[in-house]
């Protein structure tokens, strides 16, 4: 968008990752991305920032459009399920399931 000033706010930062990002494009257009993270901090593992849900809400003129992604992980913290939603964030549009071989490769 040529000639448009974009203002970005990063809110509630955890381990260097913002949980909320608000972008204001002007002309009453705002995009808010909210992410829920899972952090694995055990004696043997230190995995930060695995997304559980990512919701992007675009607002213009009082109308909202929501796109949402939901993620599930197996016991090895590898992605096992990804679901995508749109419209108001509740209409599921896709689902991908992942399995792995004994070497950790997607099968």
């Amino acid at each position: 968008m040529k000639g448009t000033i974009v203002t970005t706010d990063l809110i509630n930062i955890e381990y260097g990752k913002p949980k909320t990002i608000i972008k204001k494009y002007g002309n009453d257009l705002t995009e808010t991305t909210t992410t829920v993270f899972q952090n694995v901090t055990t004696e043997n593992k230190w995995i930060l920032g695995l997304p559980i849900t990512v919701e992007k809400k675009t607002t213009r003129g009082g109308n909202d459009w929501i796109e949402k992604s939901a993620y599930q992980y197996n016991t090895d913290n590898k992605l096992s399920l990804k679901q995508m939603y749109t419209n108001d964030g509740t209409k599921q549009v896709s689902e991908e399931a992942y399995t792995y071989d004994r070497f950790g490769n997607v099968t």
Side-chain angles (χ1 to χ4, degrees):
M1 296 189 295
K2 188 175 181 182
T4 301
I5 296 174
V6 179
T7 303
T8 304
D9 295 318
L10 307 176
I11 301 170
N12 200 4
I13 297 173
E14 181 179 295
Y15 292 112
K17 295 181 182 262
K19 291 183 177 182
T20 303
I21 301 170
I22 301 171
K23 291 184 180 180
K24 296 178 184 175
Y25 294 93
N27 297 326
D28 198 30
L29 176 62
T30 302
E31 183 179 281
T32 303
T33 304
T34 304
T35 305
V36 175
F37 295 106
Q38 172 182 323
N39 297 313
V40 179
T41 55
T42 65
E43 187 175 308
N44 300 324
K45 289 184 184 179
W46 190 262
I47 304 170
L48 304 176
L50 291 173
I52 300 298
T53 59
V54 179
E55 181 178 285
K56 183 173 87 171
K57 180 170 79 171
T58 304
T59 304
R60 181 175 225 161
N63 298 312
D64 294 335
W65 180 266
I66 298 173
E67 296 174 344
K68 183 177 176 181
S69 306
Y71 305 92
Q72 294 179 21
Y73 300 90
N74 64 20
T75 55
D76 292 325
N77 300 299
K78 294 184 175 124
L79 183 63
S80 60
L81 184 66
K82 179 172 88 172
Q83 299 168 312
M84 305 293 284
Y85 301 87
T86 192
N87 193 5
D88 63 353
T90 61
K91 180 182 177 189
Q92 187 172 350
V93 293
S94 71
E95 180 173 291
E96 298 174 22
Y98 300 90
T99 57
Y100 300 87
D101 63 17
R102 64 186 179 108
F103 301 107
N105 300 310
V106 175
T107 56

